[in-house]
Coordinates of all heavy atoms in Angstrom, one line a residue:
M1 N -46.7 -6.5 38.8 CA -48.0 -5.9 38.8 C -47.8 -4.5 38.4 O -47.1 -3.7 38.8 CB -48.6 -5.9 40.3 CG -50.0 -5.6 40.4 SD -50.7 -5.8 42.1 CE -50.5 -7.5 42.3
N2 N -48.9 -4.0 37.6 CA -48.9 -2.7 37.1 C -49.7 -1.7 38.1 O -50.4 -2.2 38.9 CB -49.4 -2.5 35.6 CG -50.9 -2.9 35.6 OD1 -51.7 -2.5 36.2 ND2 -51.1 -3.9 34.5
K3 N -49.6 -0.4 38.0 CA -50.1 0.5 38.8 C -51.6 0.6 38.8 O -52.4 1.0 39.6 CB -49.5 1.9 38.7 CG -49.8 2.6 37.4 CD -49.1 4.0 37.3 CE -49.6 4.7 36.0 NZ -48.7 5.9 36.0
Y4 N -52.1 0.1 37.6 CA -53.6 0.1 37.5 C -54.4 -1.2 37.9 O -55.6 -1.3 38.1 CB -53.9 0.2 35.8 CG -53.5 1.6 35.4 CD1 -52.3 1.7 34.8 CD2 -54.3 2.6 35.7 CE1 -52.0 3.0 34.2 CE2 -53.9 3.9 35.3 CZ -52.7 4.2 34.6 OH -52.2 5.2 34.2
S5 N -53.6 -2.2 38.4 CA -54.1 -3.4 38.9 C -55.0 -3.2 40.2 O -56.0 -3.8 40.5 CB -53.1 -4.5 39.1 OG -52.6 -5.0 37.9
T6 N -54.4 -2.3 41.1 CA -55.1 -2.1 42.3 C -56.4 -1.5 42.1 O -56.6 -0.5 41.4 CB -54.3 -1.1 43.1 OG1 -53.0 -1.6 43.3 CG2 -54.9 -1.0 44.6
G7 N -57.5 -2.2 42.7 CA -58.9 -1.6 42.5 C -59.4 -1.9 41.3 O -60.5 -1.3 40.8
C8 N -58.9 -2.7 40.3 CA -59.5 -2.9 39.0 C -60.8 -3.5 39.1 O -61.6 -3.4 38.2 CB -58.5 -3.7 38.2 SG -58.2 -5.4 38.5
V9 N -61.0 -4.4 40.1 CA -62.4 -5.1 40.1 C -63.5 -4.0 40.2 O -64.5 -4.2 39.5 CB -62.4 -6.0 41.2 CG1 -63.8 -6.5 41.5 CG2 -61.4 -7.1 41.2
L10 N -63.4 -3.1 41.1 CA -64.3 -2.1 41.1 C -64.5 -1.1 39.9 O -65.6 -0.9 39.4 CB -64.1 -1.1 42.4 CG -64.1 -1.9 43.7 CD1 -63.7 -0.9 44.8 CD2 -65.5 -2.4 44.0
A11 N -63.3 -0.8 39.4 CA -63.4 0.0 38.2 C -63.9 -0.7 37.0 O -64.6 0.1 36.1 CB -62.0 0.5 37.8
L12 N -63.8 -2.0 36.8 CA -64.2 -2.7 35.6 C -65.7 -3.1 35.8 O -66.3 -3.6 34.8 CB -63.4 -3.9 35.4 CG -62.0 -3.5 34.8 CD1 -61.2 -4.8 34.8 CD2 -62.2 -2.9 33.4
A13 N -66.3 -2.8 37.0 CA -67.7 -3.1 37.0 C -68.5 -2.4 36.0 O -69.6 -3.0 35.6 CB -68.2 -2.9 38.6
A14 N -68.1 -1.3 35.7 CA -68.8 -0.4 34.7 C -68.7 -1.1 33.3 O -69.4 -0.8 32.4 CB -68.3 0.9 34.7
F15 N -67.6 -1.7 33.1 CA -67.2 -2.3 31.6 C -68.1 -3.6 31.4 O -68.5 -3.7 30.3 CB -65.8 -2.6 31.7 CG -65.4 -3.2 30.4 CD1 -65.4 -2.4 29.3 CD2 -65.0 -4.6 30.1 CE1 -65.1 -2.8 28.0 CE2 -64.7 -5.0 28.9 CZ -64.7 -4.2 27.8
G16 N -68.5 -4.3 32.4 CA -69.4 -5.4 32.3 C -69.1 -6.5 33.3 O -68.1 -6.5 34.0
S17 N -70.2 -7.3 33.6 CA -70.1 -8.3 34.7 C -69.0 -9.2 34.4 O -68.4 -9.7 35.4 CB -71.5 -9.0 34.8 OG -71.8 -9.6 33.6
A18 N -68.7 -9.7 33.3 CA -67.5 -10.6 33.0 C -66.2 -10.0 33.5 O -65.3 -10.6 34.0 CB -67.5 -11.0 31.6
A19 N -66.0 -8.7 33.2 CA -64.8 -8.0 33.5 C -64.7 -7.8 35.1 O -63.6 -7.7 35.6 CB -64.7 -6.6 32.8
A20 N -65.9 -7.8 35.7 CA -65.8 -7.5 37.1 C -65.2 -8.6 37.9 O -64.8 -8.5 39.1 CB -67.2 -7.2 37.7
A21 N -65.0 -9.8 37.4 CA -64.5 -10.9 38.1 C -62.9 -10.9 38.1 O -62.2 -11.8 38.7 CB -64.9 -12.2 37.5
I22 N -62.3 -9.9 37.5 CA -60.9 -9.8 37.3 C -60.3 -9.6 38.7 O -60.7 -8.8 39.6 CB -60.4 -8.6 36.5 CG1 -60.9 -8.8 35.1 CG2 -58.9 -8.3 36.5 CD1 -60.7 -7.8 34.0
T23 N -59.2 -10.3 39.0 CA -58.5 -10.1 40.2 C -57.0 -9.4 39.9 O -56.6 -9.5 38.8 CB -58.0 -11.5 40.9 OG1 -57.4 -12.2 40.0 CG2 -59.3 -12.0 41.5
A24 N -56.5 -8.8 40.8 CA -55.2 -8.0 40.5 C -54.0 -8.9 40.4 O -53.6 -9.6 41.3 CB -55.0 -6.9 41.6
T25 N -53.8 -9.2 39.1 CA -52.6 -10.2 38.8 C -51.7 -9.5 37.9 O -52.1 -8.6 37.0 CB -53.2 -11.5 38.1 OG1 -53.9 -11.2 36.9 CG2 -54.0 -12.2 39.3
P26 N -50.5 -9.9 37.9 CA -49.5 -9.4 36.8 C -49.7 -10.1 35.4 O -50.6 -11.0 35.3 CB -48.1 -10.0 37.3 CG -48.4 -11.1 38.2 CD -49.8 -10.9 38.7
L27 N -49.2 -9.4 34.4 CA -49.5 -9.9 33.1 C -49.0 -11.4 33.0 O -48.0 -11.7 33.6 CB -48.7 -9.1 32.0 CG -49.1 -7.7 31.7 CD1 -48.3 -6.9 30.9 CD2 -50.6 -7.7 31.2
P28 N -49.8 -12.3 32.1 CA -49.2 -13.4 32.1 C -47.8 -13.5 31.3 O -47.6 -12.7 30.5 CB -50.4 -14.2 31.1 CG -51.5 -13.3 31.2 CD -51.0 -11.9 31.4
A29 N -47.2 -14.6 31.8 CA -45.7 -14.8 31.3 C -45.7 -15.3 29.8 O -44.7 -15.1 29.1 CB -45.0 -15.6 32.2
K30 N -46.6 -16.1 29.5 CA -46.6 -16.7 28.1 C -47.8 -16.4 27.3 O -49.0 -16.2 27.9 CB -46.5 -18.3 28.3 CG -45.2 -18.6 29.0 CD -45.3 -20.1 29.2 CE -46.2 -20.6 30.3 NZ -46.2 -21.9 30.6
A31 N -47.7 -16.4 26.1 CA -48.9 -16.2 25.2 C -50.0 -17.1 25.4 O -51.1 -16.7 25.5 CB -48.4 -16.3 23.6
G32 N -49.7 -18.4 25.7 CA -50.8 -19.3 26.0 C -51.6 -19.1 27.2 O -52.7 -19.5 27.3
D33 N -51.1 -18.3 28.0 CA -51.7 -17.8 29.4 C -53.0 -17.0 29.0 O -53.9 -17.0 29.8 CB -50.9 -17.1 30.3 CG -49.7 -17.9 30.8 OD1 -49.7 -19.2 30.8 OD2 -48.7 -17.4 31.3
F34 N -53.0 -16.4 27.9 CA -54.1 -15.6 27.6 C -55.5 -16.5 27.2 O -56.6 -15.9 27.2 CB -53.8 -14.6 26.4 CG -52.7 -13.6 26.8 CD1 -51.6 -13.7 26.2 CD2 -53.0 -12.6 27.7 CE1 -50.6 -12.7 26.5 CE2 -51.9 -11.8 28.1 CZ -50.8 -11.8 27.5
Q35 N -55.2 -17.6 26.8 CA -56.3 -18.5 26.3 C -57.5 -18.6 27.4 O -58.6 -18.7 26.9 CB -55.7 -19.9 26.0 CG -56.7 -20.8 25.5 CD -56.1 -22.1 25.0 OE1 -55.0 -22.4 25.3 NE2 -56.9 -23.1 24.6
G36 N -57.1 -18.7 28.6 CA -58.1 -18.9 29.7 C -58.8 -17.7 30.2 O -59.6 -17.7 31.0
M37 N -58.4 -16.5 29.6 CA -58.9 -15.1 30.1 C -60.3 -14.9 29.4 O -60.5 -15.3 28.1 CB -58.0 -14.1 29.8 CG -56.6 -14.3 30.6 SD -55.4 -12.9 30.2 CE -55.7 -11.9 31.6
T38 N -61.0 -14.1 30.0 CA -62.3 -13.6 29.5 C -62.0 -12.5 28.6 O -61.0 -11.8 28.6 CB -63.3 -13.3 30.5 OG1 -62.8 -12.1 31.2 CG2 -63.6 -14.3 31.6
C39 N -63.0 -12.0 27.8 CA -62.8 -10.9 27.0 C -62.6 -9.6 27.7 O -61.8 -8.8 27.5 CB -64.1 -10.6 26.1 SG -64.3 -11.8 24.7
G40 N -63.2 -9.5 29.0 CA -63.0 -8.4 29.9 C -61.6 -8.5 30.4 O -61.1 -7.3 30.4
E41 N -61.2 -9.6 30.7 CA -59.8 -9.8 31.1 C -58.7 -9.3 30.2 O -57.8 -8.5 30.5 CB -59.4 -11.1 31.8 CG -60.3 -11.4 33.1 CD -60.2 -12.8 33.4 OE1 -60.2 -13.7 32.6 OE2 -60.3 -13.0 34.7
L42 N -58.9 -9.8 29.0 CA -58.0 -9.5 27.8 C -58.1 -8.0 27.5 O -57.1 -7.4 27.4 CB -58.4 -10.2 26.6 CG -58.3 -11.7 26.7 CD1 -59.0 -12.5 25.6 CD2 -56.7 -12.1 26.7
W43 N -59.3 -7.4 27.5 CA -59.4 -5.9 27.3 C -58.7 -5.1 28.3 O -57.9 -4.3 28.1 CB -61.0 -5.5 27.3 CG -61.2 -4.0 27.3 CD1 -61.4 -3.4 26.0 CD2 -61.2 -3.1 28.2 NE1 -61.6 -2.0 26.3 CE2 -61.4 -1.8 27.7 CE3 -61.1 -3.2 29.7 CZ2 -61.6 -0.7 28.4 CZ3 -61.2 -2.0 30.4 CH2 -61.4 -0.7 29.7
Y44 N -58.8 -5.6 29.6 CA -58.1 -4.9 30.7 C -56.5 -5.0 30.6 O -55.7 -3.9 30.8 CB -58.6 -5.3 32.2 CG -57.9 -4.5 33.2 CD1 -58.3 -3.4 33.6 CD2 -56.7 -5.1 33.7 CE1 -57.6 -2.8 34.7 CE2 -55.9 -4.4 34.7 CZ -56.4 -3.2 35.1 OH -55.8 -2.4 36.1
E45 N -56.1 -6.2 30.4 CA -54.7 -6.4 30.2 C -54.0 -5.6 29.1 O -53.0 -5.0 29.3 CB -54.3 -8.0 30.1 CG -54.6 -8.7 31.4 CD -53.8 -8.3 32.7 OE1 -52.7 -7.7 32.6 OE2 -54.3 -8.6 33.8
R46 N -54.7 -5.6 28.0 CA -54.2 -4.9 26.9 C -54.1 -3.4 27.0 O -53.1 -2.8 26.9 CB -55.1 -5.2 25.6 CG -54.6 -4.4 24.4 CD -55.5 -4.8 23.0 NE -56.9 -5.0 23.4 CZ -57.7 -3.9 23.2 NH1 -57.4 -2.7 23.2 NH2 -59.1 -4.2 23.5
N47 N -55.2 -2.9 27.7 CA -55.3 -1.5 27.9 C -54.4 -1.0 29.0 O -53.9 0.1 29.0 CB -56.6 -0.9 28.0 CG -57.4 -0.9 26.7 OD1 -57.0 -0.2 25.9 ND2 -58.5 -1.7 26.5
A48 N -54.1 -1.9 29.9 CA -53.2 -1.4 31.1 C -51.9 -1.2 30.7 O -51.1 -0.5 31.1 CB -53.3 -2.7 32.2
I49 N -51.5 -2.0 29.6 CA -50.1 -1.9 29.0 C -50.1 -0.5 28.4 O -48.9 0.2 28.5 CB -49.8 -3.0 27.9 CG1 -49.8 -4.2 28.7 CG2 -48.5 -2.7 27.3 CD1 -49.7 -5.5 27.8
Y50 N -51.0 -0.1 27.6 CA -51.0 1.2 26.9 C -51.1 2.2 28.0 O -50.4 3.2 27.9 CB -52.2 1.3 26.1 CG -52.1 0.6 24.7 CD1 -53.0 -0.4 24.4 CD2 -51.1 1.0 23.9 CE1 -52.9 -1.0 23.1 CE2 -51.0 0.4 22.6 CZ -51.9 -0.7 22.4 OH -51.8 -1.4 21.1
A51 N -51.9 2.1 29.0 CA -52.0 3.0 30.1 C -50.7 3.3 30.9 O -50.1 4.5 31.2 CB -53.0 2.6 31.2
E52 N -49.8 2.2 31.0 CA -48.6 2.3 31.6 C -47.6 3.1 30.9 O -46.6 3.7 31.4 CB -47.9 0.9 31.9 CG -48.6 0.1 33.0 CD -48.1 0.8 34.3 OE1 -47.0 1.2 34.5 OE2 -48.9 0.6 35.3
N53 N -47.9 3.2 29.5 CA -47.1 4.0 28.6 C -47.6 5.3 28.1 O -47.2 5.9 27.2 CB -46.7 3.1 27.5 CG -45.7 1.9 27.8 OD1 -44.6 2.2 27.9 ND2 -46.3 0.6 28.0
G54 N -48.7 5.8 28.9 CA -49.2 7.1 28.7 C -50.1 7.2 27.6 O -50.4 8.4 27.1
Y55 N -50.7 6.2 27.1 CA -51.7 6.3 25.9 C -52.9 7.2 26.3 O -53.3 7.3 27.4 CB -52.1 4.9 25.6 CG -53.0 4.8 24.4 CD1 -52.5 4.9 23.2 CD2 -54.4 4.8 24.7 CE1 -53.4 4.8 22.1 CE2 -55.4 4.8 23.5 CZ -54.8 4.9 22.2 OH -55.6 4.7 21.1
C56 N -53.2 8.0 25.4 CA -54.4 8.9 25.5 C -55.7 8.2 25.1 O -56.0 8.0 23.9 CB -54.2 10.1 24.7 SG -52.7 11.1 25.0
F57 N -56.4 7.7 26.0 CA -57.7 6.9 25.7 C -58.8 7.8 25.3 O -58.9 8.9 25.7 CB -58.1 6.2 27.0 CG -57.2 5.0 27.4 CD1 -56.3 5.2 28.4 CD2 -57.3 3.8 26.6 CE1 -55.5 4.3 28.7 CE2 -56.4 2.8 27.0 CZ -55.4 2.9 28.1
K58 N -59.6 7.3 24.2 CA -60.7 8.0 23.7 C -62.1 7.4 24.0 O -63.0 8.1 24.1 CB -60.5 8.1 22.2 CG -59.2 8.7 21.7 CD -58.9 8.6 20.2 CE -57.6 9.2 20.0 NZ -56.5 8.7 20.6
T59 N -62.0 6.1 24.4 CA -63.5 5.6 24.7 C -63.9 6.0 26.1 O -63.0 6.0 27.0 CB -63.6 3.9 24.4 OG1 -62.7 3.4 25.5 CG2 -63.1 3.6 23.0
K60 N -65.2 5.9 26.5 CA -65.5 6.2 27.8 C -65.2 5.2 28.7 O -64.8 5.4 29.9 CB -67.1 6.4 27.8 CG -67.5 7.7 27.1 CD -69.2 7.8 27.2 CE -69.5 9.2 26.5 NZ -71.0 9.3 26.5
A61 N -65.4 3.9 28.3 CA -65.0 2.7 29.2 C -63.4 2.8 29.6 O -63.2 2.7 30.8 CB -65.2 1.5 28.5
A62 N -62.6 3.1 28.6 CA -61.2 3.1 29.0 C -60.9 4.3 29.8 O -60.1 4.3 30.9 CB -60.3 3.0 27.8
I63 N -61.5 5.5 29.6 CA -61.2 6.7 30.4 C -61.8 6.5 31.8 O -61.1 6.9 32.8 CB -61.8 7.9 29.8 CG1 -61.2 8.2 28.4 CG2 -62.0 9.2 30.8 CD1 -61.8 9.2 27.6
K64 N -62.8 5.8 31.9 CA -63.4 5.6 33.2 C -62.4 4.6 34.1 O -62.4 4.8 35.2 CB -64.8 4.8 33.1 CG -65.5 4.7 34.5 CD -67.0 4.3 34.3 CE -67.6 4.4 35.7 NZ -69.0 4.4 35.7
V65 N -61.8 3.6 33.5 CA -60.9 2.7 34.1 C -59.5 3.3 34.3 O -59.0 3.2 35.4 CB -60.9 1.4 33.5 CG1 -59.9 0.5 34.0 CG2 -62.2 0.7 33.3
F66 N -59.0 3.8 33.2 CA -57.6 4.2 33.3 C -57.3 5.8 33.3 O -56.3 6.3 33.6 CB -56.9 3.8 32.0 CG -56.8 2.3 31.9 CD1 -57.6 1.6 31.2 CD2 -56.1 1.6 32.9 CE1 -57.8 0.3 31.0 CE2 -56.2 0.1 32.7 CZ -56.9 -0.5 31.8
G67 N -58.4 6.6 33.3 CA -58.3 8.0 33.4 C -58.0 8.7 32.0 O -57.8 8.2 31.1
K68 N -58.1 10.1 32.0 CA -57.8 10.8 30.8 C -56.3 11.2 30.6 O -56.0 11.4 29.4 CB -58.5 12.2 31.0 CG -60.1 12.1 30.9 CD -60.7 13.6 31.0 CE -62.2 13.5 31.2 NZ -62.8 14.8 31.2
G69 N -55.7 11.2 31.7 CA -54.3 11.6 31.6 C -53.3 10.8 30.7 O -53.4 9.6 30.8
C70 N -52.7 11.6 29.8 CA -51.8 10.9 29.0 C -50.4 11.6 29.2 O -50.4 12.8 29.5 CB -52.3 10.8 27.7 SG -52.9 12.3 26.9
F71 N -49.4 10.9 28.9 CA -48.0 11.4 29.1 C -47.1 10.7 28.2 O -47.4 9.7 27.7 CB -47.7 11.3 30.6 CG -47.8 9.8 31.1 CD1 -46.6 9.0 31.0 CD2 -48.9 9.4 31.6 CE1 -46.8 7.7 31.4 CE2 -49.0 8.1 32.2 CZ -48.0 7.2 32.0
A72 N -45.8 11.3 28.0 CA -44.9 10.7 27.1 C -44.5 9.4 27.8 O -44.4 9.3 29.1 CB -43.7 11.6 27.1
P73 N -44.3 8.3 27.1 CA -44.1 8.3 25.6 C -45.4 8.3 24.8 O -45.4 7.8 23.7 CB -43.4 7.1 25.5 CG -43.7 6.1 26.4 CD -44.0 7.0 27.7
N74 N -46.5 8.6 25.3 CA -47.9 8.6 24.6 C -48.3 7.4 24.0 O -48.7 7.4 22.8 CB -47.9 9.9 23.7 CG -47.8 11.1 24.4 OD1 -48.4 11.2 25.5 ND2 -47.0 12.0 23.9
G75 N -48.1 6.2 24.7 CA -48.5 5.0 24.2 C -47.4 4.2 23.4 O -47.7 3.0 22.9
K76 N -46.3 4.7 23.2 CA -45.2 3.9 22.7 C -44.8 2.7 23.4 O -44.4 2.9 24.6 CB -44.1 4.9 22.3 CG -43.0 4.1 21.5 CD -41.8 5.1 21.1 CE -40.9 4.2 20.4 NZ -39.9 5.0 19.6
L77 N -44.9 1.5 22.8 CA -44.6 0.2 23.6 C -43.3 -0.3 23.2 O -42.7 0.0 22.1 CB -45.6 -0.8 23.1 CG -47.1 -0.5 23.4 CD1 -48.0 -1.5 22.9 CD2 -47.3 -0.1 24.8
S78 N -42.6 -1.0 24.1 CA -41.3 -1.7 23.9 C -41.7 -2.8 22.9 O -42.9 -3.2 22.8 CB -40.7 -2.1 25.2 OG -41.4 -3.1 25.8
A79 N -40.7 -3.5 22.5 CA -40.9 -4.7 21.5 C -41.6 -5.8 22.5 O -42.5 -6.4 21.9 CB -39.5 -5.2 21.1
S80 N -41.2 -5.9 23.7 CA -41.8 -7.1 24.4 C -43.3 -6.6 24.8 O -44.2 -7.6 24.6 CB -41.0 -7.4 25.6 OG -40.9 -6.2 26.5
E81 N -43.6 -5.5 25.0 CA -45.0 -5.0 25.3 C -45.8 -5.1 24.1 O -47.0 -5.6 24.2 CB -45.0 -3.5 25.8 CG -44.4 -3.4 27.3 CD -44.2 -2.0 27.5 OE1 -43.8 -1.0 26.6 OE2 -44.4 -1.6 28.8
Q82 N -45.2 -4.8 22.9 CA -45.9 -4.8 21.7 C -46.3 -6.3 21.3 O -47.4 -6.7 20.9 CB -45.2 -4.2 20.5 CG -46.0 -4.3 19.1 CD -47.3 -3.4 19.4 OE1 -47.3 -2.2 19.6 NE2 -48.4 -4.0 19.1
Q83 N -45.3 -7.2 21.5 CA -45.5 -8.6 21.5 C -46.6 -9.1 22.3 O -47.5 -9.9 21.9 CB -44.3 -9.4 21.7 CG -44.4 -10.9 21.4 CD -43.2 -11.7 21.7 OE1 -42.1 -11.2 22.4 NE2 -42.9 -12.9 21.0
T84 N -46.7 -8.7 23.5 CA -47.8 -9.1 24.4 C -49.1 -8.5 24.1 O -50.2 -9.3 23.9 CB -47.5 -8.5 25.9 OG1 -46.3 -9.1 26.4 CG2 -48.7 -8.9 26.9
V85 N -49.2 -7.4 23.5 CA -50.4 -6.6 23.0 C -50.8 -7.6 21.8 O -52.1 -7.8 21.5 CB -50.3 -5.2 22.6 CG1 -51.3 -4.7 21.9 CG2 -50.0 -4.5 24.0
N86 N -49.9 -7.9 20.9 CA -50.3 -8.7 19.7 C -50.9 -9.9 20.2 O -51.8 -10.4 19.5 CB -49.1 -8.9 18.8 CG -48.6 -7.5 18.1 OD1 -49.4 -6.5 18.1 ND2 -47.4 -7.5 17.7
W87 N -50.3 -10.6 21.1 CA -50.9 -11.9 21.7 C -52.4 -11.6 22.2 O -53.3 -12.6 21.9 CB -50.0 -12.6 22.6 CG -49.0 -13.6 21.9 CD1 -47.7 -13.3 22.0 CD2 -49.2 -14.7 21.1 NE1 -47.1 -14.2 21.2 CE2 -47.9 -15.1 20.7 CE3 -50.3 -15.4 20.9 CZ2 -47.7 -16.3 20.0 CZ3 -50.2 -16.6 20.1 CH2 -48.8 -17.0 19.6
I88 N -52.5 -10.7 22.9 CA -53.9 -10.4 23.7 C -54.8 -10.0 22.4 O -55.9 -10.7 22.4 CB -53.7 -9.2 24.6 CG1 -52.8 -9.5 25.7 CG2 -55.3 -8.8 24.9 CD1 -52.5 -8.4 26.6
K89 N -54.5 -9.4 21.4 CA -55.4 -9.1 20.3 C -55.7 -10.3 19.5 O -56.9 -10.6 19.2 CB -54.7 -8.1 19.4 CG -54.7 -6.6 19.8 CD -54.0 -5.7 18.8 CE -54.1 -4.2 19.3 NZ -53.4 -3.5 18.2
H90 N -54.7 -11.2 19.4 CA -54.9 -12.6 18.8 C -56.1 -13.3 19.5 O -57.0 -13.8 19.0 CB -53.6 -13.4 18.9 CG -54.0 -14.8 18.5 ND1 -54.0 -15.3 17.2 CD2 -53.9 -15.9 19.3 CE1 -54.2 -16.6 17.3 NE2 -54.2 -16.9 18.6
W91 N -56.0 -13.4 20.8 CA -57.0 -14.0 21.6 C -58.4 -13.3 21.6 O -59.3 -14.0 21.7 CB -56.5 -14.3 23.0 CG -55.6 -15.6 22.9 CD1 -54.2 -15.7 23.2 CD2 -55.9 -16.9 22.6 NE1 -53.7 -16.8 22.9 CE2 -54.7 -17.6 22.7 CE3 -57.0 -17.6 22.4 CZ2 -54.7 -19.0 22.5 CZ3 -57.1 -18.8 22.2 CH2 -55.9 -19.6 22.3
E92 N -58.3 -12.0 21.5 CA -59.5 -11.3 21.5 C -60.3 -11.6 20.1 O -61.6 -11.8 20.2 CB -59.3 -9.8 21.5 CG -59.0 -9.4 23.0 CD -58.6 -7.8 23.0 OE1 -57.7 -7.4 22.2 OE2 -59.2 -7.2 24.0
R93 N -59.5 -11.7 19.1 CA -60.1 -12.0 17.7 C -60.6 -13.5 17.9 O -61.7 -13.7 17.4 CB -59.1 -11.9 16.7 CG -58.9 -10.4 16.2 CD -57.9 -10.4 15.0 NE -56.7 -11.0 15.1 CZ -55.6 -10.6 15.6 NH1 -55.7 -9.2 16.0 NH2 -54.4 -11.2 15.6
K94 N -59.8 -14.4 18.3 CA -60.1 -15.8 18.4 C -61.4 -16.0 19.2 O -62.2 -16.9 18.9 CB -58.9 -16.7 19.0 CG -59.0 -18.0 18.8 CD -57.7 -18.7 19.1 CE -57.8 -20.3 18.9 NZ -57.4 -20.7 17.7
K95 N -61.6 -15.2 20.4 CA -62.7 -15.4 21.2 C -64.0 -14.5 20.7 O -65.1 -14.4 21.4 CB -62.3 -15.0 22.7 CG -61.4 -16.0 23.2 CD -61.0 -15.5 24.6 CE -60.1 -16.5 25.3 NZ -60.7 -17.3 26.3
H96 N -63.8 -13.8 19.6 CA -64.8 -12.9 19.0 C -65.2 -11.7 20.1 O -66.4 -11.4 20.2 CB -65.9 -13.7 18.6 CG -65.7 -14.8 17.7 ND1 -65.3 -14.5 16.3 CD2 -65.6 -16.1 17.7 CE1 -65.1 -15.6 15.8 NE2 -65.2 -16.6 16.6
C97 N -64.2 -11.3 20.8 CA -64.5 -10.2 21.6 C -64.7 -8.9 20.8 O -64.1 -8.7 19.8 CB -63.2 -9.9 22.5 SG -62.7 -11.4 23.5
S98 N -65.6 -8.0 21.3 CA -66.0 -6.8 20.6 C -65.2 -5.7 21.1 O -64.6 -5.7 22.2 CB -67.4 -6.6 20.6 OG -67.9 -6.5 21.9

């Protein structure tokens, strides 16, 4: 479980009603696990990975959920994190998430 999972239901209420149904769960273990996620859940999981790595968010929605603070390594992902982000992006495209 990442440090942003706690309280994500309340924080994501501002992002949209579909995202508000998210429960605090760890990242899915397999790429296929993303298939059943909503666009809001995919958005949260992808951005939580970036937040864990100090990414500096620019959108109001992401700043509201994850905060303004950024820190080294400033969004640099490990190979496995990048692979997870790539799978999430794949499902976001497939589901026509905006």
